[in-house]
Amino acid sequence: MEIVSGYAFAGPALDLGALLWDGQCLPDAQIRIPLAMLNRHGLVAGATGTGKTKTLQLIAEQLAAQGVPVFLADIKGDVSGISVPGESGEKVAERARDVGQTWEATGFPSEFYALGGIGTGIPVRSTITSFGPVLLSKVLQLNQTQEQSLGLIFHYADQKGLELVDLKDLRAVVTFLTSDEGKPELKGIGGLSTVTAGVILRALTAFEAQGMGDFFGEPEFDTAEFLRAAPDGRGLVSVLELPAVQDKPQLFSTFLMWLLADLYNDLPEVGDVEKPKLVFFFDEAHLLFNGASKAFLEAITQTVRLIRSKGVGVFFVTQTPKDVPADVLAQLGNRVQHALRAFTPDDQKALKATVRTFPNSAYDLEETLTAIGTGEAVITVLSEKGAPTPVAVTRLRAPESLMGPVEAGALEGAVKGSLLYGRYADAVDRESAYEKLTARQAEAEEAAAAVAAAAEAEKAEKAAAKGAASSKGSGSVVDQVVGSGIFKSLARSLGTQIGREISRSVFGTARRRR
């Protein structure tokens, strides 16, 4: 049978499940993905409740077992169970018999993270500079013109040596540029209007008022932590716990893109490898693309296209392929499509569009995709030679770890017991743009007060002398103050350009200094 031979790979592979044909599950016909093809990216799609999360868990387990690190975003809080052995039962035993699986309860080495420490997990933070203007514009919901203006503000801060670590740093720079003292600076950075700067400032203020400030700061998370293996040689499963911020989908989807972009910036080129350095699962992918600017979409496409050669595979997880732009979808060589619903005209349109993204097959895919059950999927992957395999309707294996969340106490214990917790747990607030601009303002006020006091003293002196001439060779008191060291220091600090331009990636994110 052509389908069976299409999945008979010689090298290491992941076992997904058994072929379904004419309503029968064929345990001898195993559907697999070559391990070397996991960095050719993939898509896991399907309606809510069709088993996408369990598919992620199944693939992550097998990757970890073969020494490949995995990153998972846990939106609903039910992926943490991957760290502990699963629970046997009648349904698990029946599934294992159907697909020819030797099921054994197994937990996998895991680390748990949380954005900014909100929720249970090792805090993951980014500096504003590292995050960059393009991604930040997406989070702040700025339009294209405002996004370009934010890029100019970043450029100005770079040139002036004003480090943007957290939100108050960026707000301080924008506030300065909209002040009477800072407005002249706008003319030197590409014509940024005070109106646009004001819009950005209001967006920052509203964003911070929602409690988003915790996501930005130091110590900044090093994404190389995701590439580690456990002492027993298995790949480490990094789980980003997101239930505490699931009501802020645009925020966490953009943060996931930052993590991926940071990996892209830092990793060396390795070309084709026998197994990936990391497989990154990007859940709720449609949230990333909603309302995205052209520059943002181009940056995503470039990152996905090029990160393959750095040994990283990316799987986008969403409901239908149409949620992913065509240029990105074209990069996704491995497809696991769970059931779709066709209750409305829009659903039917999405179903037809999904079918068109698959190679020709022996199945009636429109009928199949609405009829397959939970834990079943239509699959096509790249063979060891890089060619698409025949479309195979598959009953998927059961994960061997716990299919659900671990207890809150166990999760907290795992987080605080991690060697990384002490490294990232406590935020650090060093001197940066906010402190520098605050000090500059204090100096300016001090200098202004000194000038005013000097002028008052000179006025009193003149009144006392009743017009007597000043001592020969000495300037006025005002002249002396203006020529003083503190005034010259202030003028120098306002006028000097540091000339420190940060090298930025396709997203405008800064290359981390190590």
Side-chain angles (χ1 to χ4, degrees):
M1 188 176 183
E2 182 185 355
I3 296 177
V4 176
S5 62
Y7 290 87
F9 309 125
L14 310 187
D15 295 316
L16 297 181
L19 179 67
L20 282 170
W21 187 260
D22 282 340
Q24 298 296 314
C25 188
L26 308 177
D28 293 332
Q30 291 294 307
I31 305 303
R32 316 167 75 213
I33 300 180
L35 186 61
M37 291 294 111
L38 266 295
N39 71 334
R40 300 296 182 94
H41 311 320
L43 177 74
V44 178
T48 300
T50 56
K52 295 192 299 295
T53 300
K54 300 301 178 283
T55 297
L56 304 189
Q57 193 167 341
L58 172 66
I59 297 175
E61 288 179 356
Q62 294 200 40
L63 285 167
Q66 299 200 47
V68 178
V70 178
F71 173 90
L72 291 171
D74 188 5
I75 307 294
K76 299 183 291 292
D78 54 4
V79 181
S80 58
I82 198 170
S83 62
V84 298
E87 298 174 350
S88 61
E90 185 178 339
K91 288 185 177 180
V92 170
E94 182 182 358
R95 173 68 60 127
R97 285 194 302 270
D98 286 348
V99 302
Q101 176 185 9
T102 303
W103 189 90
E104 182 178 353
T106 309
F108 294 83
S110 305
E111 293 274 21
F112 298 97
Y113 302 95
L115 288 183
I118 296 180
T120 304
I122 299 164
V124 175
R125 302 183 187 89
S126 165
T127 64
I128 291 290
T129 288
S130 178
F131 206 72
V134 177
L135 289 174
L136 189 60
S137 295
K138 170 71 172 172
V139 171
L140 297 177
Q141 302 181 44
L142 303 181
N143 62 31
Q144 185 173 353
T145 299
Q146 293 157 358
E147 176 183 313
Q148 293 169 347
S149 297
L150 185 61
L152 292 175
I153 293 169
F154 271 68
H155 175 77
Y156 172 81
D158 290 345
Q159 288 291 307
K160 297 296 184 180
L162 299 171
E163 295 88 349
L164 302 177
V165 174
D166 51 26
L167 283 178
K168 72 178 186 300
D169 289 322
L170 182 56
R171 192 177 64 248
V173 172
V174 180
T175 299
F176 171 74
L177 290 174
T178 54
S179 67
D180 291 339
E181 182 184 0
K183 284 179 182 178
E185 301 281 341
L186 296 176
K187 297 179 181 179
I189 59 172
L192 173 66
S193 74
T194 54
V195 173
T196 300
V199 170
I200 294 171
L201 183 61
R202 288 192 294 274
L204 284 172
T205 302
F207 185 67
E208 191 167 18
Q210 297 171 20
M212 300 298 101
D214 292 333
F215 299 110
F216 297 99
E218 292 180 323
E220 182 174 51
F221 185 75
D222 186 351
T223 50
E225 308 286 8
F226 295 150
L227 305 175
R228 294 177 297 136
D232 61 6
R234 291 185 295 173
L236 195 65
V237 181
S238 297
V239 182
L240 183 64
E241 293 291 324
L242 294 170
V245 294
Q246 62 179 315
D247 60 334
K248 302 174 179 66
Q250 191 170 54
L251 174 70
F252 68 68
S253 66
T254 309
F255 251 90
L256 291 180
M257 197 66 233
W258 170 71
L259 295 174
L260 194 59
D262 196 70
L263 285 164
Y264 169 76
N265 290 343
D266 292 345
L267 289 175
E269 295 280 342
V270 294
D272 291 325
V273 289
E274 293 183 358
K275 64 181 183 180
K277 288 186 174 182
L278 174 72
V279 176
F280 191 104
F281 288 93
F282 206 122
D283 208 352
E284 300 290 343
H286 63 284
L287 300 171
L288 181 70
F289 303 111
N290 287 347
S293 68
K294 181 180 179 181
F296 188 78
L297 292 176
E298 288 175 350
I300 293 174
T301 304
Q302 183 176 351
T303 301
V304 172
R305 184 174 67 249
L306 299 180
I307 203 170
R308 178 188 69 79
S309 64
K310 300 194 175 190
V312 176
V314 183
F315 274 69
F316 289 95
V317 185
T318 189
Q319 294 198 2
T320 70
K322 73 179 183 64
D323 293 334
V324 181
D327 288 344
V328 176
L329 191 63
Q331 308 297 322
L332 311 182
N334 302 298
R335 303 280 298 281
V336 180
Q337 177 68 57
H338 288 268
L340 290 174
R341 311 301 180 212
F343 300 139
T344 69
D346 285 344
D347 290 342
Q348 293 169 1
K349 184 178 179 181
L351 175 61
K352 292 180 181 296
T354 298
V355 169
R356 287 196 297 270
T357 65
F358 279 89
N360 293 330
S361 76
Y363 298 94
D364 180 343
L365 288 182
E366 281 195 40
E367 180 180 346
T368 299
L369 284 172
T370 56
I372 55 177
T374 301
E376 298 174 349
V378 174
I379 292 176
T380 180
V381 301
L382 294 180
S383 70
E384 292 169 312
K385 295 181 180 179
T389 59
V391 175
V393 179
T394 307
R395 180 163 293 163
L396 297 164
R397 292 184 168 218
E400 296 182 334
S401 57
L402 181 65
M403 290 186 280
V406 299
E407 294 181 357
L411 180 60
E412 186 173 354
V415 170
K416 292 187 176 179
S418 170
L419 296 176
L420 300 182
Y421 186 75
R423 188 180 307 170
Y424 295 107
D426 296 326
V428 176
D429 189 11
R430 65 179 175 89
E431 183 185 62
S432 48
Y434 172 80
E435 288 77 15
K436 290 181 178 180
L437 288 172
T438 300
R440 180 182 299 182
Q441 182 180 1
E443 288 182 358
E445 291 174 354
E446 184 180 346
V451 170
E456 192 66 28
E458 184 175 11
K459 181 179 178 181
E461 180 183 342
K462 287 181 177 179
K466 295 182 178 180
S470 300
S471 302
K472 187 177 181 180
S474 64
S476 71
V477 179
V478 173
D479 291 338
Q480 293 173 33
V481 171
V482 172
S484 67
I486 185 172
F487 201 89
K488 289 182 177 180
S489 175
L490 173 63
R492 186 162 54 249
S493 68
L494 290 172
T496 301
Q497 288 194 355
I498 305 300
R500 182 183 61 85
E501 178 66 18
I502 296 175
S503 174
R504 298 189 182 277
S505 74
V506 290
F507 274 105
T509 55
R511 193 177 299 276
R512 180 184 285 112
R513 289 181 169 83
R514 299 190 183 281

